[in-house]
Amino acid sequence: MNLGPGVDALARFLAGPEPAWWASALAACIVWLGPLLLIVLPIAALGQIIERKVAAAMQRRHGPNTAGLDGLVRFLVRCLCWFLPRATQERLTARLCRLPGMQLARRLGLGQLVADGIKMLGKEDLIPGNADGWVFRLAPYLAMCGALLPFAAIPFGQHLVALEVPVAALYVAAAGGLTVIALFMAGWGSGNKFSLLGGMRAVAQVVSYEIPVGLAIAGVVLWCGSMDLQRIVASQYNAHWASFLGWNFFQSPFLALLAVILFVAGLAECQRTPFDMAEAESELVSGFNTEYSGLRWGLFAMAEYAEMFLVGAIIATLFLGGYQSPFGEPAIIALPAWLAALIHALMLTLKASALLFVMVWLRWTLPRLRVDQVMRLCWITLVPLALLALFGVALTMLAAGSVAPGSAYGRIPALPELHLTPLAHALAWVLPVAIAALLIVLARRQHGRLHPDLARLSGAGR
Amino acid sequence: MLADLLFWICALATVGGALASALLPNLVHAALCLGLALSGVAGLYLFLEAYYLACVQVIVYVGGILILILFATLFSSDILGRFQRSPPWQRVGGLCVAAIAGALAVRLGQVVYQHAATLEHQRPAQLREAIAAPGGIGDLLTGPWLIPFLLASLLLTAALLAAVALVQRYRHRTPKDVDGS
């Protein structure tokens, strides 16, 4: 079995040219799990900072701004420099705390994260008497798996990816699907009717919104002719200095529409406001995680932030050029490999964080949807729109001559790279937008004469 | 070997999950163990380097069918399995089916195990890529197997329509509605 070049190399480094199985296992754990924990847990922390600061800014307060890292520094100085006299320790602490970075840490409330972590670890781990033992205990870990596993296939730079599979786009969707089971297990295992109701709502919502997500991913797969996320990112490369012109988002209005659909559906999959019916605190206490406390609750919370970041990273990878810089990408590629990798990883993190910021922004802007509104948005708006956009993507490809009708009958040669000329690019934008505008105008004029069923379906009669 | 260990974990998850889902009285536990068995099968697909099939297995069976089964179990009046036991003829019949299926499964496991052990040396890289990527499967489904593929989608459409028909409220059946209110 092929465990990937990184694992093999590390195993050989650990235990010689013919590594024993334990060396392979250790290498696999380090290569696969190490980046996950080193990258994703800070990401969850980053999500929490963005959430708190944006929430505070939108409500005109400071947010967590008193807890800096001073206490942590004092603790570390005490531990590491115990041999120095107390006065020297204090002076050292004071000098360290006056560093400019520490001021920033205080303003961002970084100490709050450490305090929260310690509080979470120290809390009592309650298990309700009515709970379904192992189902209740297992659920948070499975939720964490569902949030972390997809990161393995997301490229953070050229060849900077933990798991190289040719079907990475599908893998991301499959691994993310584990969350659904975790939600059901949490809801059922709690032995509490509020939790069960919240769990059922969450599961129904996530399963429904997987369809627009799948259609949106299918559109990009169709456009790029590959399910390999690395190839999808590479196909968005543009040698122009304004390299964002090569991004899928700007290729066609249909792809832009798919990106918006993916964002909305991804928001619903994370159960964030306005789609947080599942944890509606005014009626269900807190939904499926009502009965959880301590570290188990913390795992659910971290999984939520990791999942939000994941949605941002997927949208960035599929539509916004992945790890590529919006400007001057050719110059960055020409840099030394380690520097380029660093900039690329930073770029993807920035893009995903920007999308995460929009999610938090939406949370404090939009009211919560009712159950029927959530389902209506999915089945009557998003799914038909996504199908239409998918059809439009196929039509654009047909018009651009990248694929011939009927070529599917028989062995297809590898699709040629789709590069639109500026004129075709402009046409690909102008034509669909003009047709859509025309259709909207016609539909508005026809509005009174719709068939009653259609009118009801489109919500016109309300 | 690590590969051996992973194979045995996957095989154990498949067989153990299947056994547990057949034997556990608690319906929700049984359904969750079915999920374990299905995930184990996905792991075995990974051993065949059929990544596409493994992903589809997880998406369709664990993410879709299993959720349906879980929802369906909640409609049962006896989820915890306290009151009803299967009648003896069901147990005997189930045992016979399980024996046949078990024999097949052991043979399949043997094939997968041997395959995983010899894969890297015997198969040309081109063929391995063809199995791993979805392109070859797409060619087959839209080429020689187009008609069965379309028929399957027709069947699914029929099932969808039947589901819609089942949940329709027959408003015209009551005399009051027929009068046109």
Side-chain angles (χ1 to χ4, degrees):
Chain A
M1 188 182 169
N2 190 4
L3 297 171
V7 176
D8 290 344
L10 188 62
R12 276 197 293 276
F13 175 75
L14 285 174
E18 280 291 321
W21 69 270
W22 60 265
S24 296
L26 193 64
C29 285
I30 293 171
V31 169
W32 290 343
L33 299 183
L36 287 184
L37 295 181
L38 282 181
I39 295 175
V40 176
L41 294 186
I43 278 171
L46 178 74
Q48 202 147 20
I49 291 176
I50 293 178
E51 168 100 280
R52 288 188 160 160
K53 280 299 179 186
V54 173
M58 294 193 74
Q59 296 165 0
R60 297 223 171 165
R61 53 188 175 82
H62 291 295
N65 63 339
T66 47
L69 296 174
D70 303 8
L72 195 69
V73 168
R74 173 167 290 124
F75 177 72
L76 285 178
V77 167
R78 285 264 163 85
C79 288
L80 296 176
C81 309
W82 49 269
F83 46 84
L84 295 176
R86 179 58 62 87
T88 321
Q89 284 182 18
E90 284 300 321
R91 261 205 304 279
L92 188 61
T93 306
R95 178 157 294 184
L96 282 175
C97 290
R98 272 203 302 277
L99 291 175
M102 296 303 290
Q103 189 62 32
L104 185 69
R106 210 169 296 130
R107 291 183 65 126
L108 283 176
L110 283 184
Q112 197 72 40
L113 294 172
V114 182
D116 278 350
I118 294 171
K119 182 190 77 174
M120 227 161 58
L121 285 172
K123 265 191 175 177
E124 187 184 356
D125 181 23
L126 286 170
I127 295 177
N130 220 1
D132 191 339
W134 62 268
V135 178
F136 181 83
R137 290 195 183 93
L138 201 59
Y141 302 107
L142 207 58
M144 204 65 191
C145 282
L148 290 191
L149 280 178
F151 276 104
I154 300 230
F156 277 78
Q158 282 173 319
H159 305 293
L160 196 62
V161 54
L163 184 66
E164 292 192 47
V165 282
V167 289
L170 209 59
Y171 165 82
V172 168
L178 282 182
T179 323
V180 191
I181 308 286
L183 294 178
F184 180 88
M185 285 169 73
W188 164 264
S190 298
N192 168 341
K193 56 179 176 283
F194 294 125
S195 297
L196 184 59
L197 271 176
M200 299 302 282
R201 279 183 184 179
V203 170
Q205 181 177 315
V206 173
V207 168
S208 305
Y209 276 89
E210 251 166 35
I211 295 168
V213 165
L215 287 172
I217 293 178
V220 179
V221 168
L222 188 66
W223 182 262
C224 296
S226 174
M227 282 195 185
D228 190 345
L229 287 179
Q230 280 173 291
R231 274 186 63 183
I232 288 178
V233 173
S235 77
Q236 300 178 50
Y237 175 73
N238 192 337
H240 200 262
W241 65 269
S243 35
F244 68 87
L245 287 174
W247 294 359
N248 277 339
F249 189 89
F250 300 105
Q251 294 304 304
S252 150
F254 297 114
L255 283 169
L257 181 59
L258 281 179
V260 175
I261 289 170
L262 185 58
F263 181 78
V264 174
L267 203 60
E269 290 221 345
C270 302
Q271 287 133 46
R272 298 277 304 175
T273 324
F275 300 103
D276 62 346
M277 260 334 275
E279 27 193 293
E281 67 269 15
S282 55
E283 37 181 318
L284 293 183
V285 191
S286 178
F288 56 84
N289 57 19
T290 303
E291 298 288 0
Y292 285 91
S293 63
L295 193 57
R296 286 180 216 280
W297 180 86
L299 283 176
F300 272 120
M302 271 197 285
E304 185 184 335
Y305 286 109
E307 215 171 321
M308 283 162 70
F309 191 86
L310 176 71
V311 169
I314 290 174
I315 294 175
T317 303
L318 292 179
F319 295 99
L320 302 178
Y323 50 74
Q324 297 176 11
S325 156
F327 295 101
E329 175 64 18
I332 291 176
I333 288 182
L335 289 174
W338 64 270
L339 194 57
L342 197 67
I343 294 176
H344 281 158
L346 205 64
M347 274 296 160
L348 186 70
T349 312
L350 270 180
K351 286 175 189 174
S353 307
L355 288 168
L356 202 147
F357 163 74
V358 178
M359 291 182 203
V360 174
W361 181 11
L362 285 179
R363 175 177 181 181
W364 298 101
T365 308
L366 294 178
R368 179 181 290 153
L369 293 178
R370 277 197 321 260
V371 172
D372 64 322
Q373 289 168 331
V374 169
M375 288 299 157
R376 179 181 295 271
L377 179 68
C378 178
W379 292 103
I380 298 191
T381 311
L382 288 186
V383 171
L385 260 185
L387 279 172
L388 191 76
L390 195 57
F391 186 60
V393 168
L395 270 187
T396 312
M397 290 178 71
L398 204 62
S402 108
V403 56
S407 68
Y409 301 95
R411 181 81 207 164
I412 313 176
L415 285 178
E417 290 269 321
L418 187 64
H419 279 303
L420 301 181
T421 59
L423 180 66
H425 202 150
L427 268 183
W429 269 95
V430 171
L431 270 182
V433 171
I435 292 174
L438 192 69
L439 281 179
I440 289 173
V441 169
L442 284 179
R444 289 185 73 91
R445 289 182 61 190
Q446 283 281 332
H447 208 255
R449 277 172 276 165
L450 278 179
H451 185 274
D453 279 353
L454 275 180
R456 206 182 62 225
L457 209 63
S458 65
R462 283 162 193 280
Chain B
M1 266 307 286
L2 178 66
D4 281 352
L5 188 72
L6 288 177
F7 172 81
W8 285 113
I9 290 175
C10 287
L12 203 69
T14 310
V15 176
L19 276 179
S21 72
L23 297 177
L24 285 178
N26 186 328
L27 283 183
V28 170
H29 286 180
L32 288 175
C33 287
L34 180 66
L36 184 67
L38 294 172
S39 312
V41 173
L44 292 180
Y45 282 140
L46 283 185
F47 265 87
L48 297 172
E49 302 207 357
Y51 301 116
Y52 177 71
L53 219 51
C55 289
V56 169
Q57 164 86 10
V58 173
I59 290 180
V60 173
Y61 285 95
V62 181
I65 308 277
L66 181 64
I67 292 295
L68 269 184
I69 291 176
L70 279 171
F71 272 33
T73 55
L74 293 189
F75 283 105
S76 165
S77 56
D78 186 23
I79 297 177
L80 300 181
R82 285 191 193 134
F83 311 114
Q84 289 178 4
R85 309 293 295 173
S86 322
W89 63 269
Q90 271 189 3
R91 293 186 185 195
V92 175
L95 210 61
C96 293
V97 174
I100 298 170
L104 281 175
V106 167
R107 176 78 190 109
L108 268 178
Q110 210 180 347
V111 170
V112 173
Y113 185 70
Q114 284 172 355
H115 187 89
T118 58
L119 190 70
E120 281 179 55
H121 312 292
Q122 290 189 352
R123 288 202 157 183
Q126 207 179 1
L127 191 60
R128 279 166 62 192
E129 266 179 30
I131 294 174
I137 297 170
D139 283 350
L140 286 177
L141 283 183
T142 51
W145 295 93
L146 182 62
I147 302 293
F149 182 58
L150 286 182
L151 282 180
S153 55
L154 208 63
L155 188 70
L156 288 178
T157 313
L160 264 179
L161 286 178
V164 171
L166 273 179
V167 298
Q168 279 283 336
R169 276 172 290 181
Y170 294 99
R171 290 187 9 193
H172 57 275
R173 283 218 175 139
T174 54
K176 204 172 133 195
D177 281 344
V178 170
D179 289 340
S181 57

